[in-house]
Amino acid sequence: VRDVATGRSRGSRGDGESHRRGKEKILKILAEIQAPLSLLMLRLCNWALLKLLNRLFLSVQLHRGQLEMVLRATRTSGVPLVFLSTHKSQLDGPLLSFLFFSQGLGVPRVTVGGQVCSPRLRALLGRLGGIFLPSRTGQMPSDQDEGLPGAVLAAYVEEVLRSQQPLLIFLEEPPVALCLSAPAREWLALVYRAVRDGAVPDVLLVPVGIAYDVVP
């Protein structure tokens, strides 16, 4: 991030004002990507999700074999977990987060695809662990500015993996199935880059998924 920001400000005086503006721009991009987790919001939404599930479905069944595989993966020390999932419904993210949280696996950072979210929904999803690709258009006047969101995003993914926070990547965009989506391709490339560049020695890829008798 510093290299890109330095290249962006090259040719300017490099005074304190330009550094302050650069830091503000970086923090603004970071705020587009993620928000601090809120345990209160997590507990409230988990309670609401239980009520919703009881109204939507006759039952929710947990595959014990897959749960044991996930628990075994979490016991692998020193290796960050990256969960890969198909995406059948917009309910998948909250439901998988709820399952991980209820089983004591922590709260994963969940990639949110290219669907349009209102500012309020985006803020709520961020508080629940959702992470977003930053916008690369708009007020980005130069090539160096264009590279800054990508640099901040790459650094953020490296930090998530280095701190061993679970990362959940959805491979598809509903309703299009069996096709790797463009956002998923970008998230996977960032994970690959973090391993290639030595930010983390390795990652453990764990397949997870939800099946519905009738997709809500």
Side-chain angles (χ1 to χ4, degrees), residues 154-181:
Y156 173 74
V157 170
E158 288 179 2
E159 287 302 317
V160 167
L161 297 175
R162 192 180 289 117
S163 61
Q164 297 191 29
Q165 298 179 61
L167 178 63
L168 172 60
I169 298 176
F170 287 110
L171 302 177
E172 306 163 337
E173 283 289 324
V176 181
L178 301 179
C179 180
L180 187 63
S181 67

Side-chain angles (χ1 to χ4, degrees), residues 33-163:
I33 297 171
Q34 62 96 49
L37 293 174
S38 169
L39 288 179
L40 176 61
M41 292 298 296
L42 282 165
R43 293 190 176 99
L44 284 174
C45 287
N46 284 339
W47 174 82
L49 186 59
L50 275 175
K51 299 292 186 182
L52 177 65
L53 292 176
N54 287 330
R55 291 181 177 275
L56 280 179
F57 304 112
L58 293 176
S59 66
V60 177
Q61 300 175 3
L62 193 59
H63 192 290
R64 290 294 174 184
Q66 190 176 52
L67 176 61
E68 178 56 36
M69 179 189 69
V70 172
L71 291 173
R72 191 164 63 247
T74 60
R75 292 193 288 267
T76 305
S77 61
V79 180
L81 295 178
V82 177
F83 296 103
L84 303 178
S85 176
T86 56
H87 203 182
K88 306 301 182 186
S89 163
Q90 301 298 346
L91 195 60
D92 290 357
L95 189 52
L96 281 172
S97 293
F98 166 71
L99 290 174
F100 290 150
F101 189 62
S102 66
Q103 296 298 316
L105 302 178
V107 182
R109 288 294 185 173
V110 183
T111 62
V112 180
Q115 63 265 27
V116 178
C117 296
S118 67
R120 288 185 178 181
L121 178 58
R122 188 183 180 107
L124 175 61
L125 292 176
R127 288 292 187 175
L128 299 178
I131 55 177
F132 303 80
L133 294 173
S135 59
R136 287 175 169 81
T137 57
Q139 298 83 23
M140 294 293 180
S142 68
D143 292 339
Q144 288 86 358
D145 279 335
E146 183 70 25
L148 192 58
V152 175
L153 180 62
Y156 173 74
V157 170
E158 288 179 2
E159 287 302 317
V160 167
L161 297 175
R162 192 180 289 117
S163 61

Side-chain angles (χ1 to χ4, degrees), residues 150-151 154 158 188-199:
E158 288 179 2
L188 290 171
L190 289 164
V191 172
Y192 167 76
R193 175 179 167 181
V195 177
R196 183 199 64 189
D197 294 348

